Amino acid sequence: MERPGRLLLQSELRVRNAAYDVSLSRSLLIWKRRTSSPVYHPFRPRFCVPLFRRRPDPVLHGSPVLNCWSVCVCHSVPVSEIISVREEEEENGSRQRDDGSWKKIREREGKDCRQAFTVLYVERCRQHRWRCAEVTFTCSDEAVCQHWVSSIREQLASNTSRPKHLLVYINPYGGKRQGKRIYEQKVAPLFTQAGISTSVIVTEYANHARDHLKMEAELKKFDGVVCVGGDGMFSEIIHGLIWRTQIDCGVDPNSPEEALSPCSLRIGIIPAGSTDCICFASVGTNDPVTSALHIIVGDSQPLDVCSVHHNNMFLRYSVSLLGYGFYGDVLSDSERKRWMGPARYDFSGLKMFLTHHYYEGTVSYLPAKGIIGTPRDATRCRSGCVICQHNGQLNSERSEKYEMDEASDSESSGEWRTIRGKFLAINAASMSCACPRSPKGLSPAAHLADGTTDLILVRKCSRFNFLRHLLRHTSKDDQFDLTFIEVHRVRRFRFMPRHCQSDSDLELDLHENSKRQIFSQICKDHPACGCAPAYSSWNCDGEILTHTGIDVRVHGQLIKLFARGIEELPVFEDLSNPCAI
Ligand SMILES: CCCCCCCCCCCCC/C=C/[C@@H](O)[C@H](COP(=O)(O)O)NC(C)=O
Ligand SMILES: Nc1ncnc2c1ncn2[C@@H]1O[C@H](COP(=O)(O)OP(=O)(O)O)[C@@H](O)[C@H]1O
Ligand SMILES: [Ca+2]
């Protein structure tokens, strides 16, 4: 919790006819009620929070500080969480919004001038949701009031991390096809309030946003890019942005060995897709207003990105899940059922669980050495994560070294490990992949920005055992604590399906390959034929990869989101206190 620091302003102002001591410092806006005697107020539970908190905060973020036996005595809002300040006019007792101009309000019965201004700020609600709350201050002195408004505006303007111009891409067809409505009704009004200007593009076809970013967008004009859509839409945005950044920096984006240049523009995600796992895992909720507020306050959360190559040919980037076997099959099957909306994943999930296909192949991986943390940790990646900071620093030192000594990561150094077998699923989770379907995610202890991915191998097992594993994604039990599961935190990995393993197989001509895929497809669609398919496909952040043999490398902190990671829950939520707002 920030301390108030040197005061910039201090006045007595009124809030709903009660007198408050109001103060502004560079870090905090505080309003403290002038009455001191505590009053028991049992009928206002929304103003009640427990007295004892984990952190000894004298004032709570945007919330009244009080205990269950008193009315509110003190509110505070970090200046960094003020959205905007608005001047008000008051006529005949009712307050009206002023469209920017300042007007005097004469109270009918007195000669006093009554001036008012409203501060809009972030308020935390249940389950990591943020809302825009407001408080209106009135005072009798016009000059004092104007001084307050201009001082708060000055503080906001001096915050250089806030975006002023944003490039917004809306996928009107993602999820329940509500992207445009969500943006127009819930997000655009907040951006206007915060004085953010936008350039909005509603996409007309798949890869419209990617290609616009790659070739056309005048990125210099913007402080960030906003993606309104699901994980697939986000994937388009990062492909455009990463590609463009490499070209601008003279880096070959196709090379699997090159260290990629980090993107300077941050990306905001307004969730409007089916799974929205990248938003959920980096903010803690899939809520458009919460995401918009994280963008407005200028949050920044670095994110690891995996590059995926096949025979030195670039295929795609991934930030959440790379899944072969179960998740690949679920995705391929569900694409044909897009008309079902997000429910297609449940339908295809059940179908693929019953189908119970396994796939043979070889996985090789380079364990992440020298880092803090393992995939079986009880600690979670949270806002300001020290593990991400430590490992991120380690990565940047390593990548400098790597530039000089390319052999350090090579197979010749003997660090690579190889596992051959039959797998129901091979998953690489670069972040937890938490989403409403699985609130703790595919790898609950994975980190957003530690430069590693968690490689989860689910070996062939009975349907019953696989169900145990799947169900543990939704319970407190450890989904890795099963004999047929192994999990490794890695920097790099490769996969080769069995049928591709000999050199001659690697050279399979396209005709042969497509014939195999057709047969695989027939077998998948008619499991009664008894012939298990040789290949699955890779689910790469919700897109199907065209190749099965892949080489994956993690690029630590390659991009940045307008997010801050999932915030620790305050004690009152941990205890499920009914008094919580
Ligand atoms: C029987 C109980 C089964 C519970 C299993 C729960 C596991 C759910 C884990 C979901 C993993 C999400 C990883 C994110 C993937 C998205 O990129 C992708 C695409 O999302 P989009 O449609 O673009 O929003 N969605 C899926 C389901 O593959
Ligand atoms: N205008 C459009 N028409 C059709 N498809 C689009 C359009 N814009 C984007 N897409 C594609 O739609 C796919 C799904 O988008 P996404 O927003 O991730 O929704 P969902 O979560 O439902 O899959 C993405 O692969 C994206 O490339
Ligand atoms: Ca990671």
Side-chain angles (χ1 to χ4, degrees), residues 230-233 273-278 320-321 326-327 330-331 335 338 344-345 433-435 437-438 441-442 467 470-471 473-474 539-543:
D231 294 334
M233 187 61 184
S274 301
T275 313
D276 297 318
C277 122
I278 300 155
S320 58
L321 166 70
F326 182 69
Y327 288 104
V330 168
L331 187 70
E335 277 302 297
R338 213 161 234 291
R344 67 189 184 278
Y345 291 132
C433 293
C435 60
R437 272 189 182 76
S438 167
L442 286 182
L467 183 64
L470 286 180
L471 287 178
H473 287 86
T474 56
N539 173 341
C540 176
D541 291 2
E543 302 296 311

Side-chain angles (χ1 to χ4, degrees), residues 433-505:
C433 293
C435 60
R437 272 189 182 76
S438 167
K440 58 179 188 167
L442 286 182
S443 190
H447 288 270
L448 292 166
D450 68 340
T452 73
T453 188
D454 287 350
L455 183 61
I456 306 156
L457 307 177
V458 185
R459 288 180 187 269
K460 185 184 168 200
C461 64
S462 66
R463 274 193 186 80
F464 174 72
N465 272 335
F466 190 44
L467 183 64
R468 279 172 69 206
H469 167 64
L470 286 180
L471 287 178
R472 287 187 187 189
H473 287 86
T474 56
S475 74
K476 285 211 169 102
D477 297 332
D478 179 358
Q479 63 252 47
F480 304 139
D481 189 18
L482 293 160
T483 52
F484 51 93
I485 310 273
E486 51 186 291
V487 56
H488 308 278
R489 191 154 279 182
V490 310
R491 291 189 193 287
R492 234 179 141 149
F493 75 92
R494 290 182 186 136
F495 175 72
M496 188 62 74
R498 193 176 82 104
H499 293 80
C500 278
Q501 272 161 10
S502 70
D503 279 355
S504 56
D505 271 339

Side-chain angles (χ1 to χ4, degrees), residues 9 11 22-24 29 117 144-152:
L9 264 180
S11 313
V22 189
S23 65
L24 177 72
L29 171 69
F117 65 93
V144 170
C145 229
Q146 276 180 331
H147 195 187
W148 268 95
V149 172
S150 57
S151 298
I152 295 174

Side-chain angles (χ1 to χ4, degrees), residues 133 196 235 252 304 403 415 450 510 566:
I196 294 175
S235 176
D252 175 8
D304 297 334
E403 295 286 289
E415 288 180 60
D450 68 340
L510 270 174
I566 299 175

Side-chain angles (χ1 to χ4, degrees), residues 301 380-390 447 564:
Q301 170 64 53
R380 300 288 177 253
C381 184
R382 291 291 178 261
S383 218
C385 176
V386 285
I387 291 183
C388 286
Q389 281 168 29
H390 174 272
H447 288 270
R564 58 173 65 173

Side-chain angles (χ1 to χ4, degrees), residues 243 246-247 249-260 309 317:
W243 190 272
Q246 306 321 306
I247 300 300
C249 297
V251 175
D252 175 8
N254 280 312
S255 161
E257 304 304 332
E258 279 224 49
L260 299 178
H309 285 80
Y317 297 114

